[in-house]
């Protein structure tokens, strides 16, 4: 059995005493629980009680739900989600006649959150200077606070303060002690609420580990560095198969694909073969892939933009070869023929009506039928008719219903049984649609293009 990724010595006694341990994130909590399980097995125990180890966010949500069950204070007010907050900020910036963008709205939202966490009032914004930009942001912050009040919503930081108050007035029982693990720093507003939850906050110090040796190497290119890292890891594993090896990459999000490719080639090259079924690789990358960048969900947005008047031939051919809609295996020859006909037109762009026409011609020539299953032409025609009569501006919840109907017409996600990764991505997609439907009060009625832009942005920020 491989050694655990977390050393229990620093919190073992706290776990044995059933004391509360709060971690900075869910991943750290998961590794602690795995280490605790191995520890119990080594003691010869066959079953045990889970230690009270929770991520800070998980613990806060449990306290908030407990207060909601008691109808305490303002817990009847919903906590605004990140997506709802972004929608409000984009609307505020747009109303101020400033060219809005997702990046600008996200910066404004993050600044407001930091102000709350560090106990800064909106009036303090002027303390940072006096210019047009600061005055404008102060007005945006005031508008944001006003819209929150109109919607009867609270921010996560404000909700933390409600939980802290519940500990102060003994509505919630205080903890004897709380052990904090994995935090670089804790903002004052959060620190205050934790102090109300327990008179004794203990920062767990796990800094006793010292590396046995350090070596600095220099490479001409990033690709050489990545290859050397993978070779180094392989050499260590050849010497000891029970090792756990950690590779720290400062810009992992940007280099994830290159690193995963290099590790796969080094350790599981056969998995790259088209004939190999997908299986769990012997390494884990902590940076998730954005949901919107997975092939399964990319196909969603390609299908939802079939209403565009013109498509590039390459993009349309790529969509034809996607297995994530309609009857891919049974339509393979037909799709190949259609792609060839599109490419033989000798143009860069074609209209969707061109594709429907070619599909109709091919259906007429081949009498394409398979029981009650619609042909490719029939699916495209149904989609065209549905989109033609359902393109008026609407609330996000209505757009969600329309999107589900369009995907149903096109038989997304296809006939093939999804693997475990694709199944998880499908579940996340439907959760994302539910979050999108909750934006009604924040966005109001929106155009189809705006609905898809918001939904695509949410998918890009969903790991």
């Amino acid at each position: 059995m491989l050694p655990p990724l977390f050393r229990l010595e620093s919190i073992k006694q706290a776990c044995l005493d059933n004391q509360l341990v709060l971690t900075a994130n869910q991943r750290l909590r998961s590794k602690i629980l795995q280490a605790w399980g191995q520890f119990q097995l080594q003691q010869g125990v066959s079953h045990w009680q889970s230690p009270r180890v929770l991520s800070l966010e998980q613990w806060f949500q449990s306290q908030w739900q407990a207060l909601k069950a008691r109808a305490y204070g303002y817990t009847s007010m919903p906590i605004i989600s990140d997506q709802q907050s972004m929608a409000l900020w984009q609307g505020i910036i747009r109303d101020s006649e400033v060219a809005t963008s997702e990046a600008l709205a996200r910066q404004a939202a993050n600044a407001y959150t930091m102000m709350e966490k560090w106990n800064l009032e909106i009036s303090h914004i002027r303390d940072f200077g006096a210019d047009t930009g600061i005055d404008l942001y102060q007005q945006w912050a005031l508008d944001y606070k006003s819209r929150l009040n109109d919607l009867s919503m609270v921010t996560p930081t404000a909700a933390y303060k409600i939980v802290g108050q519940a500990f102060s007035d003994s509505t919630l029982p205080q903890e004897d002690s709380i052990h904090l693990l994995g935090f670089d720093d804790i903002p004052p507003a959060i620190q205050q609420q934790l102090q109300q939850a327990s008179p004794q906050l203990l920062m767990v110090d796990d800094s006793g580990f010292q590396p046995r040796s350090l070596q600095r190497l220099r490479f001409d290119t990033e690709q050489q560095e990545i290859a050397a890292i993978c070779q180094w890891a392989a050499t260590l594993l050849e010497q000891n198969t029970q090792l756990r090896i950690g590779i720290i990459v400062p810009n992992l999000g940007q280099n994830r694909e290159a690193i995963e490719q290099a590790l796969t080639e080094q350790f599981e090259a056969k998995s790259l073969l088209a004939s190999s079924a997908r299986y769990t690789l012997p390494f884990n990358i902590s940076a998730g892939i954005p949901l919107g960048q997975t092939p399964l969900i990319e196909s969603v947005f390609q299908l939802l933009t079939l209403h565009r008047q013109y498509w590039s031939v390459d993009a349309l051919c790529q969509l034809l070869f996607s297995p994530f809609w309609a009857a891919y295996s049974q339509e393979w020859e037909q799709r190949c023929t259609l792609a060839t006909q599109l490419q033989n037109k000798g143009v860069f762009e074609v209209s969707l009506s061109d594709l429907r026409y070619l599909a109709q011609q091919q259906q007429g020539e081949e009498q394409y039928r398979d029981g009650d299953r619609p042909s490719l032409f029939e699916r495209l025609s149904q989609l065209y008719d549905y989109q033609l009569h359902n393109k008026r501006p609407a609330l996000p919840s209505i757009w969600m219903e329309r999107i589900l109907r369009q995907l149903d017409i096109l038989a997304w996600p296809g006939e093939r049984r999804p693997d475990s990764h694709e199944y998880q991505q499908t579940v996340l997609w439907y959760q994302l649609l539910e979050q999108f439907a909750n934006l009604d009060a924040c966005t109001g009625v929106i155009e189809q293009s705006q609905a898809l832009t918001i939904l695509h942005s949410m998918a890009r920020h969903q790991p």
Side-chain angles (χ1 to χ4, degrees), residues 341-380:
Q341 290 174 330
L342 288 171
Q343 291 169 336
N344 288 342
K345 279 180 167 290
V347 295
F348 293 109
E349 288 187 336
V350 294
S351 66
L352 187 58
S353 61
D354 291 333
L355 179 62
R356 290 203 312 274
Y357 174 73
L358 292 174
Q360 184 181 26
Q361 271 193 327
Q362 195 174 67
Q363 176 177 301
E365 294 170 359
E366 301 179 6
Q367 291 299 307
Y368 188 84
R369 284 292 183 273
D370 182 13
D372 295 329
R373 178 174 59 81
S375 68
L376 185 59
F377 165 70
E378 288 168 340
R379 290 192 188 279
L380 294 174

Side-chain angles (χ1 to χ4, degrees), residues 235-270:
T235 301
L236 289 181
L237 284 177
E238 287 175 1
Q239 299 170 357
N240 184 352
T241 58
Q242 295 302 304
L243 281 180
R244 283 193 181 274
I245 300 171
I247 299 173
I248 300 172
V249 184
N251 55 344
L252 180 57
Q254 291 76 21
N255 285 335
R256 188 190 194 284
E257 186 175 348
I259 291 170
E260 183 174 13
Q261 177 80 8
L263 287 170
T264 302
E265 291 175 354
Q266 180 68 56
F267 293 103
E268 292 290 327
K270 65 179 181 180

Side-chain angles (χ1 to χ4, degrees), residues 82-335:
D82 291 342
Q83 294 80 16
Q84 291 170 326
S85 178
M86 278 292 294
L88 281 186
W89 279 106
Q90 287 177 318
I92 289 168
I93 296 172
R94 191 182 307 112
D95 292 345
S96 67
E97 299 183 354
V98 173
T100 185
S101 68
E102 182 183 339
L104 178 59
R106 197 166 296 281
Q107 288 177 346
N110 289 340
Y112 190 91
T113 300
M114 291 302 294
M115 285 175 53
E116 281 195 307
K117 288 184 175 180
W118 291 87
N119 291 330
L120 296 175
E121 300 293 335
I122 294 177
S123 58
H124 293 161
I125 293 177
R126 289 187 179 275
D127 296 341
F128 296 99
D131 59 39
T132 305
I134 289 178
D135 291 342
L136 184 60
Y137 181 75
Q138 185 177 44
Q139 186 57 53
W140 290 350
L142 289 170
D143 291 344
Y144 181 74
K145 186 174 183 179
S146 175
R147 295 194 188 190
L148 280 177
N149 292 333
D150 292 342
L151 295 171
S152 297
M153 300 177 105
V154 295
T155 63
T157 305
Y160 262 111
K161 294 181 179 180
I162 295 173
V163 170
Q165 180 59 41
F167 279 109
S168 292
D169 61 26
S170 299
T171 302
L172 292 174
Q174 281 192 326
E175 298 284 345
D176 292 335
S177 62
I178 297 178
H179 300 258
L180 302 170
L181 180 62
F183 295 91
D184 292 329
D185 56 27
I186 300 178
I190 309 302
Q191 180 82 16
Q192 290 168 6
Q193 312 324 312
L194 290 174
Q195 288 171 343
Q196 290 174 307
S198 174
Q200 189 175 24
L201 300 181
L202 304 172
M203 295 296 293
V204 179
D205 183 12
D206 194 34
S207 60
F209 173 75
Q210 294 294 329
R212 288 179 296 178
S213 64
L214 293 173
Q215 185 179 10
R216 181 177 181 181
L217 302 177
R218 183 172 180 174
F219 300 90
D220 294 331
T221 67
E222 199 169 62
Q223 289 73 21
Q224 291 177 356
E225 183 180 15
I226 292 174
I229 289 171
C230 297
Q231 182 60 52
W232 166 78
T235 301
L236 289 181
L237 284 177
E238 287 175 1
Q239 299 170 357
N240 184 352
T241 58
Q242 295 302 304
L243 281 180
R244 283 193 181 274
I245 300 171
I247 299 173
I248 300 172
V249 184
N251 55 344
L252 180 57
Q254 291 76 21
N255 285 335
R256 188 190 194 284
E257 186 175 348
I259 291 170
E260 183 174 13
Q261 177 80 8
L263 287 170
T264 302
E265 291 175 354
Q266 180 68 56
F267 293 103
E268 292 290 327
K270 65 179 181 180
S271 70
L272 298 173
L273 297 175
S275 58
S276 296
R278 290 180 60 169
Y279 58 92
T280 302
L281 296 173
F283 54 84
N284 176 263
I285 299 179
S286 62
I289 302 172
L291 183 64
Q293 291 182 11
T294 61
L296 179 66
I297 305 305
E298 278 187 334
S299 70
V300 167
F301 291 100
Q302 290 173 334
L303 295 171
L304 292 177
T305 53
L306 273 174
H307 66 277
R308 290 205 314 255
Q309 185 174 2
Y310 291 103
W311 272 72
S312 76
V313 172
D314 288 343
L316 204 50
C317 289
Q318 181 183 0
L319 182 59
L320 284 172
F321 294 139
S322 170
F324 299 119
W325 66 289
Y328 175 73
S329 61
Q330 298 169 26
E331 296 172 354
W332 169 249
E333 291 185 8
Q334 183 190 17
R335 293 193 193 190

